[in-house]
Structures are given as C-alpha cells and as structure tokens.
Amino acid sequence: MKKTLFISSSAIFSLLLLCGCGSSAKRIDPSGDQGLVTTGDINTRDWQDVSTRCVNSLIASGALNRADGRKSVIMISSIKNSTDRAVNTGLLTNKIRQSILASGKALTTTAVGAKGAEDKATRQVRDLENDDIFNARTVAKRGTVIAPDMSLSGEIIKAETRDGRKIEANYMFHVVMTDLNTGLAVWEDTFEITKQETKSIF
C-alpha cells in the first residue's frame, strides 16, 4: 500500500514539472498594468509612475518659474538608495530628466553631476584646441558651458510589514530641488508606492 502511494505521488510530481516546462513569453505594454508586481523590487512601471508624479509636483510648485524668463538649468545629483535591495537609481533620474525636458519648463546638464560629468565630451572637445590636426575655429570654446542653477537629489527608503503570509512593502521616494546660488531647498516632495503580496504556503 505504501509503495503504491509513493508511485502515485511521484507521478503527480512529474506531471506538475512537465506542466511548468512550457514557455508563455509575450510582449506587453510597459506603460500598462500587465507587468509583474513584486514586493521585493522596483520595476519599470514604478520608475515611470514616480518620475511623472515628481515632475508634475515640481512644475505645479512654481519652483522653476523665473522672473527673467530664462529656463533654469538643472543638474542631476545623487539619489541615495537606503533600501535593502540593489537599485539602479539611474533609471529614475533618467526618466525624471526626460520628463523635465519634455515639459519645456527647464533644461538639464550632463556636463556636471554628483560623480562628475555624465557626458565627458563637453570637456574633452575643449582639450582639442591645442591639437594641430583640428581647425581651432571649429573647436568648442572655453568659458561657454552653462553652469547649473539648481540640483536635484533624493533618497529611496523601504519599509516592510508582514502579517502571516501577507507582505506589504512601502517604497518612499524623497526628492529635493536645491538652488545652487543660495543652497536653499526650493521644492521637495515624497512619493510613495505600496505593494502587497501573499506568499504561497509552499
């Protein structure tokens, strides 16, 4: 009797393995609600959501409005990851920069950043002025690069709550805009994303 039960259980286990071997890969709309939701990670939809809310809040605050009518130049500083996960914060800052540029309310610079220039070409091309194979008149001149007026920085914090098999993860994105002339924060806001997951009993 025990032997029969063992064979039956093995057969069921093998059947489950076979059922799980098939592939069902498909393309989905990254801006839609079909993407996977996990409490342990921040996904593309989360980055998109936070960046949109961030820029909408920034624009609504009026912090980018200038009396002289000129567009402010913003540098992207550091986004500190205070979660227990490896997070590519560049995905967030890139989307924020894209949204700022698309709004037409400000400009961003890649010539300076928290860890140096994001695009080193601005400085590199000016080093060509002493290279005699280049026409000096075509080399970008020194003293022409526009310095940033403001800096965008922030922090990502995660708080997790467990109740039995249910897990709730709350990600808080705190973002602040600093006036580089005065060092004063001219705008800051916190955006939250909360996810729930019920773990399988297995």
Side-chain angles (χ1 to χ4, degrees):
M1 188 69 177
K2 290 183 178 179
K3 185 176 181 181
T4 303
L5 179 60
F6 176 78
I7 294 174
S8 177
S9 298
S10 299
I12 293 173
F13 182 70
S14 298
L15 181 61
L16 290 174
L17 284 178
L18 288 173
C19 290
C21 289
S23 174
S24 59
K26 62 179 180 178
R27 294 183 185 275
I28 63 171
D29 179 1
S31 62
D33 56 4
Q34 296 175 302
L36 298 177
V37 177
T38 58
T39 57
D41 298 301
I42 305 172
N43 58 31
T44 303
R45 180 65 185 274
D46 298 330
W47 295 128
Q48 185 64 51
D49 179 40
V50 171
S51 63
T52 299
R53 290 159 60 190
C54 172
V55 175
N56 287 344
S57 173
L58 175 60
I59 293 174
S61 73
L64 297 180
N65 298 338
R66 298 177 60 97
D68 59 9
R70 182 173 67 85
K71 292 182 181 180
S72 293
V73 178
I74 300 171
M75 67 168 281
I76 305 299
S77 188
S78 61
I79 301 291
K80 181 181 178 182
N81 174 25
S82 295
T83 74
D84 58 354
R85 295 283 181 160
V87 175
N88 186 348
T89 56
L91 292 174
L92 176 61
T93 55
N94 287 345
K95 287 188 176 296
I96 289 177
R97 181 166 58 209
Q98 291 166 16
S99 297
I100 288 175
L101 290 174
S103 74
K105 294 292 185 178
L107 300 172
T108 62
T109 178
T110 59
V112 60
K115 297 180 180 180
E118 182 173 342
D119 186 344
K120 296 180 173 57
T122 301
R123 181 174 296 277
Q124 289 172 338
V125 295
R126 284 161 175 78
D127 292 338
L128 302 178
E129 62 185 356
N130 297 320
D131 192 329
D132 58 11
I133 70 168
F134 289 95
N135 183 331
R137 289 179 297 179
T138 67
V139 176
K141 304 300 183 239
R142 295 182 182 275
T144 60
V145 179
I146 306 300
D149 305 296
M150 298 183 179
S151 172
L152 183 76
S153 61
E155 182 178 14
I156 305 174
I157 304 168
K158 177 186 176 184
E160 188 172 282
T161 304
R162 293 174 178 265
D163 182 10
R165 292 189 292 111
K166 182 172 289 185
I167 302 174
E168 181 173 290
N170 185 264
Y171 293 92
M172 289 159 281
F173 301 78
H174 179 251
V175 189
V176 59
M177 184 74 75
T178 301
D179 184 325
L180 295 175
N181 185 51
T182 63
L184 300 176
V186 295
W187 167 85
E188 63 180 310
D189 207 340
T190 300
F191 310 95
E192 298 185 21
I193 290 179
T194 302
K195 303 179 181 184
Q196 283 189 353
E197 178 181 5
T198 301
K199 293 291 187 180
S200 168
I201 59 175
F202 301 106

